[in-house]
């Protein structure tokens, strides 16, 4: 079994060094993070740290752990590896965590980790991605089908005819499927648009290579929908620039681009006219309510469908599976400087 990796972890370390780092993390006091002596400690698992979105989420976890007086172990990064995520959850359980906040990489594969938690009567809150199997106390997530629909509608309103492409996430994740399926369904309302697709699996290099090939065959592309600006923004803009296709909004040659995530880099791109819109996925609220719900579940509280006191609605997405669907506003040039947006508060 692989040793638990403390954050940040950018490259593999020798096993003895991993153990040393873990021992220090569990023994030395650190503000907002509890260690092995804590009675009600919480384990937090991150899917990756290569995306600015997840880097921001990690920072908010530490911030809200202090505010909510949540005793957490140092978060661990599964580095986009579903198998490693199961190992990491197992390690957290072996350390005696009493609650888990997990952002699943694979909606089906995470069921094994959820089974391990259930065997130990440890409640799990899933953040960002809903599992398709396994028990969770609640899912904290925005409505990902709305992401695909709103992105489609934006392109449909700003591109009158021609080809548009969606650069998709991992379809093993319910997020990738929800966004892709909703986008396709909505695009039926815009028959003058032809939809192309790139399955990029949340990987920047895959997106760049596929977009390069697609633009060679389709230099007349009119619009782009990126499932995740955190991993696709930079390679998309670099590819367009290299091919001489990056023209600012207002230019007749401009390719209309809408994204999902709401990171600061997307806002800068909107201000420059490189992209047109993004949906702000609430990294701050994911962290806040992930910890809030897991503390409540550890205290024996049950949840039920209905409106919340924080501007969202809890819905039953599957029998017995509740989801707190947090708001994810559309951000354009008109509201990109709104200080209530989490990325403008960084």
């Amino acid at each position: 079994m692989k040793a638990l990796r403390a954050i940040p972890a950018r490259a593999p370390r020798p096993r003895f060094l991993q153990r040393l780092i873990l021992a220090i993390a569990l023994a030395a006091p650190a503000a907002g993070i509890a260690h092995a002596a804590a009675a009600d400690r919480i384990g937090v698992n991150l899917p990756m740290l290569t995306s600015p979105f997840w880097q921001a989420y990690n920072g908010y976890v530490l911030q809200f752990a202090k505010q909510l007086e949540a005793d957490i172990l140092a978060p661990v990064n599964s580095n986009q590896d579903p198998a490693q995520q199961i190992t990491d959850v197992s390690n957290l359980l072996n350390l005696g965590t009493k609650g888990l906040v997990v952002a699943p990489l694979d909606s089906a594969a995470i069921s094994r980790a959820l089974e391990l938690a259930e065997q130990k009567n440890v409640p799990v809150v899933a953040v960002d991605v809903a599992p398709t199997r396994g028990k969770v106390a609640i899912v904290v997530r925005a409505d990902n089908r709305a992401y695909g629909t709103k992105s489609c509608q934006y392109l449909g309103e700003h591109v009158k005819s021609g080809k548009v492409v969606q650069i998709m996430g991992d379809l093993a994740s319910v997020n990738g499927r929800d966004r892709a399926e909703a986008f396709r369904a909505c695009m039926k309302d815009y028959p003058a648009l032809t939809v192309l697709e790139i399955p990029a699996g949340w990987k920047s290099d895959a997106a760049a290579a596929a977009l390069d090939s697609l633009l060679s065959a389709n230099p007349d592309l009119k619009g782009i929908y990126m499932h995740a600006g955190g991993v696709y923004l930079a390679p998309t803009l670099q590819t367009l620039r290299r091919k001489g296709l990056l023209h600012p909004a207002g230019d007749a040659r401009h390719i209309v681009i809408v994204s999902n995530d709401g990171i600061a880099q997307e806002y800068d791109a909107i201000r420059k006219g490189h992209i047109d819109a993004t949906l702000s996925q609430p990294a701050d609220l994911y962290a806040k309510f992930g910890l809030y719900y897991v503390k409540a579940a550890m205290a024996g509280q049950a949840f039920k469908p209905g409106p919340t006191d924080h501007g969202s609605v809890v819905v039953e997405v599957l029998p017995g599976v509740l989801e707190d669907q947090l708001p994810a506003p559309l951000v354009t040039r008109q509201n990109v400087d709104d200080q209530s947006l989490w990325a403008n508060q960084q």
Side-chain angles (χ1 to χ4, degrees):
M1 184 174 290
K2 296 181 181 178
L4 187 66
R5 300 193 307 277
I7 298 301
R10 295 186 177 275
R13 298 185 175 92
R15 188 173 296 275
F16 79 90
L17 183 55
Q18 291 183 12
R19 289 174 177 165
L20 176 61
I21 291 171
L22 179 59
I24 293 171
L26 295 177
I33 301 178
H35 305 292
D40 294 317
R41 58 198 169 191
I42 297 168
V44 179
N45 176 263
L46 307 175
M48 66 186 83
L49 273 177
T50 52
S51 163
F53 177 85
W54 289 109
Q55 292 165 7
Y57 169 81
N58 183 50
Y60 281 120
V61 164
L62 304 181
Q63 174 185 323
F64 284 112
K66 296 178 184 177
Q67 291 186 19
L68 298 173
E69 298 182 345
D71 294 332
I72 67 170
L73 291 168
V76 293
N77 171 23
S78 294
N79 201 28
Q80 290 188 274
D81 184 342
Q84 181 61 48
Q85 187 165 58
I86 296 170
T87 298
D88 287 341
V89 169
S90 177
N91 287 341
L92 287 168
L93 290 168
N94 289 336
L95 286 171
T97 55
K98 303 302 182 183
L100 285 168
V101 179
V102 177
L105 282 160
D106 185 306
S107 295
I110 196 64
S111 64
R112 176 55 185 155
L114 298 179
E115 289 171 2
L116 295 174
E118 187 175 10
Q119 289 168 9
K120 292 180 177 287
N121 295 314
V122 172
V124 180
V125 172
V127 168
D128 179 55
V129 175
T132 53
R133 297 196 306 272
K135 181 180 179 181
V136 292
I138 197 168
V139 179
V140 176
R141 182 173 177 250
D143 183 349
N144 278 245
R145 292 195 66 85
Y147 287 1
T149 300
K150 290 181 180 180
S151 299
C152 157
Q153 290 170 342
Y154 190 92
L155 284 178
E157 292 167 4
H158 292 83
V159 180
K160 299 307 178 185
S161 63
K163 302 171 185 175
V164 299
V165 62
Q166 64 165 330
I167 305 177
M168 300 184 293
D170 190 344
L171 298 184
S173 160
V174 69
N175 284 13
R177 293 199 300 274
D178 279 357
R179 297 177 202 190
E181 291 169 2
F183 185 80
R184 292 176 194 139
C186 169
M187 271 294 160
K188 294 177 182 178
D189 294 334
Y190 302 96
L193 299 182
T194 300
V195 180
L196 308 174
E197 295 184 339
I198 291 174
W202 311 126
K203 297 185 183 300
S204 300
D205 53 353
L211 183 60
D212 186 277
S213 297
L214 184 142
L215 288 170
S216 295
N218 302 275
D220 56 343
L221 188 73
K222 300 297 183 184
I224 297 174
Y225 167 39
M226 299 184 290
H227 280 200
V231 289
Y232 298 150
L233 177 67
T236 295
L237 295 184
Q238 289 166 4
T239 301
L240 292 175
R241 185 178 289 111
R242 187 175 64 253
K243 288 185 168 289
L245 295 173
L246 185 61
H247 304 291
D251 189 307
R253 299 166 295 174
H254 174 66
I255 295 175
V256 178
I257 303 175
V258 61
S259 184
N260 296 164
D261 266 353
I263 58 173
Q265 292 87 338
E266 288 171 302
Y267 292 1
D268 288 342
I270 289 173
R271 295 183 184 105
K272 293 174 182 176
H274 291 163
I275 73 172
D276 301 83
T278 187
L279 284 152
S280 177
Q281 185 168 213
D284 55 343
L285 300 184
Y286 281 5
K288 179 178 181 178
F289 290 106
L291 293 172
Y292 166 83
Y293 279 118
V294 79
K295 282 193 68 179
M298 290 161 62
Q301 183 175 338
F303 313 113
K304 60 183 180 180
T308 71
D309 60 2
H310 49 268
S312 63
V313 178
V314 174
V315 299
E316 188 172 26
V317 291
L318 292 170
V321 179
L322 298 179
E323 180 173 298
D324 187 351
Q325 294 190 336
L326 300 172
L330 180 72
V331 181
T332 66
R333 182 166 285 189
Q334 282 65 48
N335 64 336
V336 69
D337 294 319
D338 186 341
Q339 290 303 302
S340 69
L341 298 167
W342 67 264
N344 285 332
Q345 301 169 14
Q346 295 285 293

